[in-house]
Amino acid sequence: MIDVILIRPAHPQDFPAMKAILRDTFERTWRPEITEAAARRYIETDIGGGFVAHSGADMLVAEADGRVAGLVHCVDDFIDALHVHSDFQRRGVGRRLLARAEGDIAEKGFPRVRLETDTFNEQARGFYRALGYVETAHYPDEEWQSGLTTVLME
């Protein structure tokens, strides 16, 4: 665990670090599971960079050890993205980001929190289950066009 993890709104100067976090989680989590064509499309079109450029100002970041260690993005009651750089995984960063997102969602009056992961991502599924989330639906993951199955958790 890290003693001090600051959760704060993202600033434009954080965007390069946020893009690096998305690239790190893409390389370590998604790339081994998707087709080469899907990986090439992600890299060539800079999907992660585009996401940060479009939504970065609405994200929260976790700062730990003087670095941006993770990010979270919510839309209404849905956690659209929660990513932690591999250097900071299993050190409390994801738990703190999730708790903040849950609090913000509750403050807006939503009675539940929803998020998605994929069936292959046992690390994420276990993390969310340990924090009380349950799987409520499975459906084809059309984002990656790689035959994956998305899991909706609440």
Side-chain angles (χ1 to χ4, degrees):
M1 294 293 263
I2 300 169
D3 290 332
V4 179
I5 300 170
L6 173 66
I7 308 297
R8 61 171 175 75
H11 304 296
Q13 62 265 30
D14 299 321
F15 287 10
M18 294 162 67
K19 291 176 184 180
I21 290 166
L22 292 177
R23 183 61 182 253
D24 177 68
T25 57
F26 166 75
E27 291 293 341
R28 292 177 180 272
T29 303
W30 296 98
R31 189 172 195 157
E33 302 296 330
I34 62 176
T35 65
E36 188 54 38
R40 212 172 25 258
R41 185 175 56 255
Y42 180 91
I43 293 165
E44 290 172 358
T45 62
D46 191 22
I47 291 173
F51 179 51
V52 171
H54 181 264
S55 301
D58 298 323
M59 294 184 193
L60 297 172
V61 295
E63 192 176 306
D65 296 339
R67 290 176 51 197
V68 174
L71 61 88
V72 66
H73 182 252
C74 301
V75 177
D76 297 328
D77 69 342
F78 188 73
I79 297 176
D80 185 40
L82 192 156
H83 295 266
V84 176
H85 193 281
S86 58
D87 292 349
F88 292 93
Q89 288 181 356
R90 301 181 186 276
R91 297 177 64 194
V93 174
R95 199 175 284 255
R96 288 286 310 279
L97 282 165
L98 184 63
R100 173 64 183 271
E102 291 170 339
D104 289 353
I105 289 169
E107 227 175 71
K108 292 176 186 170
F110 293 103
R112 65 179 180 178
V113 176
R114 301 174 308 123
L115 55 85
E116 292 175 336
T117 189
D118 274 76
T119 53
F120 78 84
N121 194 344
E122 285 299 327
Q123 180 177 338
R125 290 170 77 188
F127 170 74
Y128 295 124
R129 277 192 214 113
L131 295 172
Y133 284 78
V134 295
E135 296 182 7
T136 58
H138 292 94
Y139 39 87
D141 181 335
E142 296 174 357
E143 179 180 5
W144 294 107
Q145 299 169 345
S146 295
L148 302 176
T149 301
T150 297
V151 179
L152 177 66
M153 302 184 82
E154 298 182 25

